[in-house]
Amino acid sequence: MSHLSARREGCRDGLSIVIGYIPFALALGAALGSAGVDPWIAWLSSPVVIAGAAQLVTVEMLGAGASAVLALTTALVVNARHLLYSATLATLVGHWRRRDRWVAAYLLADPMFALAAARLHAGDPPSAQAAHRAYFFAASWTCWAGWLALTGAGVLIGDLLPTSLPMDVAAPLTFLLLVLPTVTSPPTRTAASVGGLVAVLASGLPLGLGLLAGVAAGVAAGAATPAGGGARNSSAAPPTVTDLGTGEPGEPGTSAPGGERTHG
C-alpha cells in the first residue's frame, strides 16, 4: 500500500471514530464549560490531555478548589492504562524515529491503540511498516482535530443553553456515558461497581478526594479480578490490555483479532 493510500485510509477510519465521538464530546464540552473554571481554559484540556475522563476529572477538581497537584495526580491515575498501551506498542514502533515515537505517544488514545494493535505487526517488511506509520498518524491527527472541534462546540453549546437547565448533572451523566460502553468484562464490572460505590460513600470528602478514592479503589478491584469466568489453564492466552476497558468517550475496549496481546 502506498503512503497516500494509507493516509486516505487513516483519515477515513479516523473520521468514523470522530462521528462516534459526537454525543460524548459535546456532553463533555458542556460539562467542561460549566465546571467552575473559565470555559476556554477548560477547553484547553483537550489539546493538553486528549482524554475525556481525565479532562473532566481535572477541570471538575480545579473548579471545586482542589490543588493543581491533586488534580494532576488524579488525572495520571485515570490515565494509567496508557502505560500499558505504550508498553505493548513499544516493540512494534521501536524502529520509528525518536520524534515520531514522541508524537505518537502524545496522540495515543484508546481508539488509536485499538487500530494500531490490529494493524501493526513486528514482522512486516519495511515498506508495509512505513505505510502503517502513515496510516497511524493520519488517523490520529484526524481524531485529534475532531476531538478539539467537538469539545469546543460543546463548550459553546453549554454557554447557549438556558440557565434553568440542570447543568450540574452534566458531569455525572458524562461519566455515565463514558463508562457504560466499557463495562463488558468481569474486571470492568468490578471496577465500575467498586469505584462507584466508594466514590459515593466518600463524596463528602473535601477537594474532590472522594472521586480520587473511587478511582483508586476501582482500579485496584478491577486489577484483582480475573478476566474470564471459570478455571483457566496456563496455556490460555492472557487478556489484552483493552479487555480492561477504557475511560475515553465513545471508545469501548477492543481486543485485537484472535485475542492476541499485540499492542498499544
Side-chain angles (χ1 to χ4, degrees):
M1 176 183 289
S2 68
H3 285 199
L4 181 58
S5 297
R7 290 191 183 97
R8 287 175 176 170
E9 185 177 349
C11 289
R12 182 196 64 200
D13 290 350
L15 183 59
S16 68
I17 291 172
V18 170
I19 292 173
Y21 277 164
I22 291 175
F24 305 99
L26 291 178
L28 176 70
L32 293 176
S34 61
V37 177
D38 184 277
W40 292 109
I41 293 178
W43 174 80
L44 286 175
S45 64
S46 287
V48 172
V49 182
I50 326 177
Q55 287 178 240
L56 189 55
V57 167
T58 302
V59 174
E60 284 284 308
M61 291 185 70
L62 291 175
S67 68
V69 172
L70 181 58
L72 177 60
T73 301
T74 305
L76 291 175
V77 171
V78 172
N79 272 358
R81 68 189 182 282
H82 287 83
L83 295 175
L84 302 178
Y85 292 175
S86 298
T88 307
L89 282 182
T91 59
L92 304 178
V93 302
H95 59 283
W96 289 10
R97 292 175 298 180
R98 181 186 297 271
R99 180 186 63 187
D100 289 342
R101 295 199 303 271
W102 277 101
V103 175
Y106 165 71
L107 294 170
L108 185 60
D110 299 295
M112 291 314 306
F113 167 72
L115 292 178
R119 191 179 185 95
L120 301 182
H121 304 284
D124 286 340
S127 59
Q129 292 177 355
H132 293 338
R133 183 169 61 250
Y135 168 88
F136 177 89
F137 283 113
S140 296
W141 284 119
T142 300
C143 290
W144 180 85
W147 181 248
L148 267 62
L150 288 171
T151 52
V155 170
L156 294 176
I157 290 175
D159 288 340
L160 295 175
L161 289 175
T163 56
S164 59
L165 291 178
M167 288 302 294
D168 56 320
V169 304
L173 288 178
T174 299
F175 269 118
L176 185 62
L177 291 174
L178 296 177
V179 169
L180 283 180
T182 74
V183 183
T184 58
S185 65
T188 57
R189 287 192 289 270
T190 301
S193 301
V194 173
L197 178 61
V198 171
V200 170
L201 294 177
S203 60
L205 295 177
L207 302 179
L209 289 175
L211 179 59
L212 180 57
V215 170
V219 169
T225 302
R232 298 174 58 184
N233 59 46
S234 59
S235 63
T240 61
V241 170
T242 44
D243 283 336
L244 300 180
T246 70
E248 301 303 324
E251 301 166 9
T254 304
S255 298
E260 296 178 341
R261 184 171 186 151
T262 54
H263 167 28

